Amino acid sequence: MYELIQTVLSSDEKTILRQLISDLSASGKRYFLRNEILHAFAEYCHQYQKPAYFFHSSSLGTLIHYTHEIILEEDDIWLLLRPRIGSQEVWRLLSADTSNFDLQTPQVLLDVRDRFVNRYQSQILEINFHPFDRGIPSIDDPRNIGQGLAFLNRYLCSQVLSDRSYWLDVLFDALHRLEYDHKQLLIGDRIKTGLQLYKQIKQAIKIIGERPPEEPYEKFSEQLQTLGLEPGWGNTASRVRETLELFDRLIETPEPAILEAFVDRVPAVFRVVLVSIHGWITQDDAVGRPETLGQVVYVLEQAQSLENKLRSEIKLAGLDSLGIQPQVVILTRLIPNCEGTQCNLRLEKIERTENAWILRVPFREFNPQVTQNWISKYDIWPYLETFAIDAEKQLLAQLGGSPDLIIGNYSDGNLVAFLLARSLKVTQCNIAHSLEKPKHLFSNLYWQDLEEQYHFSAQFTADLISMNAADFILTSSYQEIVGTPDSLGQYESYKMFSMPELYHVVDGINLLSSKFNFVPPGVDENIFFPYNQKDKRDDNLMQKINDLLFDSSDDHIFGCSDDHIFGHLENPNKRPICAIAHITSVKNLSGLVECFGRSQELQKQCNLILVTNKLHLSEATNSEEAAELEKIHNLINQYNLHSQIRWVGIRLPKPELGEIYRAIADRQGIFVHFASFEAFGRPILEAMSSGLPTFATQFGGAAELINDGECKFHINPTDLEGTANQILQFLDECNTNPEHWYEISERVIQRVRNKYNWQMHTKQLLLLAKIYRFWDFVNKENREALLRYVDTLYHLVFKPRTEKILEEHMQR
């Protein structure tokens, strides 16, 4: 960046930069974010009739596009530049002489931000995780961020090549530790060294090569055990030989593909715990709450897929004959006042599984008026430590031993996963789903003003603890980690930030760490299957859904009355535009209604179908819901859309939602996800899996779900006219070429099948658990130092913050 800044300040563009700074200052503001900076520069270029290239590719234009923040102080101009994804630089220009500039440390910028909110103090706690990265391999190309497994496999293979005998002993030590309920697996005590293991495997390959390929393991198990090889290599002679040969090839010619294939067969995971604390975990129609529904559905489907995959792995390893069974537990809280759901049951079997369970553990009754009821994700922090202590005892009793893998979900579940994994010394996986910090602008700078409602001081600290302590992190998209060239990623927002008068985060997370892995989830293909699979559809359900969405004036459909349905379609045969979302400002359904209302051409060709959880202002449970509901109703009245909109406002079971997508597809409709920001967007996958051409917000990870292809399906929800034109362009192509809709429909179906399915997700997840378990064994000294630092942060900052929240709750 030095050369670029030098070029600007040593040319005529310096005068333009000074003028731009002057224009920003004239607004009366002192802190400017990227969109404001770009807008001001565009206004300047328009006012002074600069050519188009000047905005985009002049030296100053390039510098402005790299600039994500400008802070104006009396004597200084501060620039936060992002020259590439995952990298930030702080530069200071002197106001009196902009020719004078220098690179600054993150600490200096954090002080500037504190001064901006009048909360600067000379001494403040600094949190810096960078020292723990030393000596640990990191990804060097930002394009490979999120591919930690592939990177680690290449690194480990290179190490085996450099010192084969050492790594043979390391591999032997790791495999020798594998056991199930004190039953040794793979390697017995007769084998003492890595070299001896290598020789015995060579001999075993010869012996097994003489057996019939399909001969069961039990027939030749004694021969292998004589060599010191215990159960777990396979269930048939051919399977055992393949596994032994993979080990042999790994030592002879270590390659990432061989390592991955061998590790995939290692029987190292039998008991898995999925932690999802606050989410109203139930399997009836009341699954989840609006703020946690996506997470709960994800966890339930992941548990089903995990149990099936583990059962298959155990069988292929030849361990089912020993009575070894997989166990998957979703750990959540028991809620006494459960509002008619099953959330007050301690134990509940998960549907479509043989041995997967929901285990509910109650919070201790600090104040029963609070702990007996559902608790918001913003208020839950004081109860997590004691919950983890109580849950550990119940988990060990339920599982009959320690778990092999603990997976946290969301900030609170990840913190409990950290506490359990730290105590039990097992592998920890972190899944954020959605981090709150980047969703609330300036939430860290103004945390004191927001503390009573959101308790961000506890939450952001919990995030730092769990994401750094985790052995590996799963994300659903690349953008979740480091965003795009134009915007910060969710995890990237934790790289450097200030909590004035509490602490400064100088380096909060290593974005190039190999612990990050992009492993998207799937969809439940039993429910969200393509519209053209007529044999799987229920005729009665199809008719009821069509009545609900298009035709019927029946007062009661699925429990829906007139109170749950709004609008009567004048022409139900027009092509439907459908949106399914909860009522929140972020989902931005009001924006979609306004986009539809402003476009006469859209209204001419289409009806708008909204499916939400609420319909009337009286149903709102908070000010955000009330504001969004009121806005939608006002827009419908403003644009007189009553005969062109059908709005269903009731929570429907998943099978009915699946049929809604298919009913829209039957009429060659489209699905629109109009969120102002979406970390992932499960409804997008559900719609695509059902065969619906789908338009989705370009802001967030949702943009990665759609392959743009020939047509532009990424929309900017702030550009209503542009979005309407994009949709109309697609409709025009469909009207001109009737096959076009079917081509796009088939394309999105195949995209979900090929990239977003639970079988691929679960295979990758278990592979990650095994390889990172081995990596931690190799890297245990560095990891222990990191965990001690995390423990200090937990006790020094997190616990005191939660104690303050508990004091508030005790007074209720």
Side-chain angles (χ1 to χ4, degrees), residues 26 121 188 370 591 765 787:
Q121 57 185 39
V370 176
L765 171 58
L787 290 175

Side-chain angles (χ1 to χ4, degrees), residues 486-519:
D486 299 328
S487 61
L488 298 181
Q490 292 190 59
Y491 280 95
E492 189 177 0
S493 73
Y494 284 78
K495 181 72 174 172
M496 176 182 64
F497 67 96
S498 168
M499 301 283 280
E501 299 177 342
L502 184 61
Y503 56 68
H504 283 174
V505 176
V506 175
D507 195 333
I509 184 71
N510 178 11
L511 301 170
L512 298 171
S513 169
S514 58
K515 72 167 58 179
F516 281 108
N517 287 274
F518 167 39
V519 185

Side-chain angles (χ1 to χ4, degrees), residues 735-748:
N735 294 334
T736 303
N737 173 17
E739 291 300 311
H740 185 65
W741 186 94
Y742 294 101
E743 291 170 2
I744 300 300
S745 173
E746 184 60 27
R747 185 186 302 170
V748 298

Side-chain angles (χ1 to χ4, degrees), residues 7 44 109 113 259 264 282 285 316 333 390-391 399 498 532 551 563 645 696 719 746 805:
T7 300
Y44 177 89
L109 180 64
R113 289 171 174 170
L259 174 61
D264 185 47
T282 177
D285 295 344
L316 288 172
R333 63 169 298 227
D390 297 341
L399 295 171
S498 168
N532 51 18
D551 302 321
D563 289 338
I645 190 169
D719 181 4
E746 184 60 27
I805 303 171

